[in-house]
Amino acid sequence: MGATFGKNYENQFCISKKIKTLISVIVFFILIFLAKESDVIFYFYRLVSPILMWYIFDFFKKFPSPRWWIKCTVFYYGMHILVISPVAKTYKLFLGQNIIALFLAHIIVPAICITLLAVIAMIVRKFIPEIWKIMIGGRS
């Protein structure tokens, strides 16, 4: 039943995307302003806001297909543990522990890790596609 509903989702509701988006935006802003008044409304806002944001973002769904390195999030998630520690230690070795270096570490270390993992992903994806399919769990 759920698969049938999901497959025919657009046919189930006659409300257009524009109207759903407009209603979502209105309800979202009303809840934002009312959330300051009571804890119950705040918790309701926290519960409902992801659903409302989903409808709002669904209206702008005509984005181009993401590039291959953006689709590697599962690989980045699984492999970042292996590279984060050596990259952070190397960063600390070269730039020290002053306050500016520590502040920039939260920006530079993840950027280095993602770049390094993207290069590793490109190499594994190109030369060992069987291993790559296993590493990303069959996702394309």
Side-chain angles (χ1 to χ4, degrees):
M1 186 168 144
T4 304
F5 176 76
K7 198 170 185 182
N8 300 316
Y9 175 75
E10 293 296 325
N11 298 332
Q12 298 293 331
F13 299 104
C14 296
I15 301 173
S16 73
K17 267 188 181 178
K18 292 179 183 179
I19 293 173
K20 280 194 273 188
T21 304
L22 181 64
I23 291 171
S24 297
V25 168
I26 291 170
V27 170
F28 186 71
F29 281 114
I30 289 172
L31 286 175
I32 285 175
F33 290 118
L34 293 178
K36 298 175 187 176
E37 302 299 323
S38 112
D39 289 339
V40 174
I41 296 173
F42 176 73
Y43 291 125
F44 182 72
Y45 160 74
R46 293 287 307 258
L47 182 69
V48 174
S49 63
I51 298 167
L52 296 174
M53 293 302 284
W54 188 284
Y55 279 119
I56 293 168
F57 289 141
D58 190 42
F59 182 73
F60 302 103
K61 195 168 64 171
K62 296 176 178 71
F63 293 117
S65 179
R67 296 196 172 115
W68 71 267
W69 50 270
I70 295 175
K71 295 180 183 180
C72 298
T73 54
V74 172
F75 175 75
Y76 298 151
Y77 174 73
M79 300 300 288
H80 83 279
I81 297 296
L82 299 175
V83 297
I84 192 84
S85 184
V87 168
K89 288 179 182 178
T90 306
Y91 176 84
K92 191 181 350 178
L93 181 70
F94 283 113
L95 294 177
Q97 292 187 355
N98 61 35
I99 192 72
I100 296 172
L102 292 175
F103 176 73
L104 290 176
H106 294 289
I107 299 168
I108 295 174
V109 170
I112 293 171
C113 288
I114 289 175
T115 305
L116 182 64
L117 287 172
V119 169
I120 293 170
M122 180 179 61
I123 292 169
V124 173
R125 184 173 171 252
K126 187 172 185 173
F127 295 113
I128 320 170
E130 298 83 20
I131 302 294
W132 174 250
K133 289 178 185 175
I134 293 170
M135 291 173 86
I136 63 168
R139 294 166 179 84
S140 57

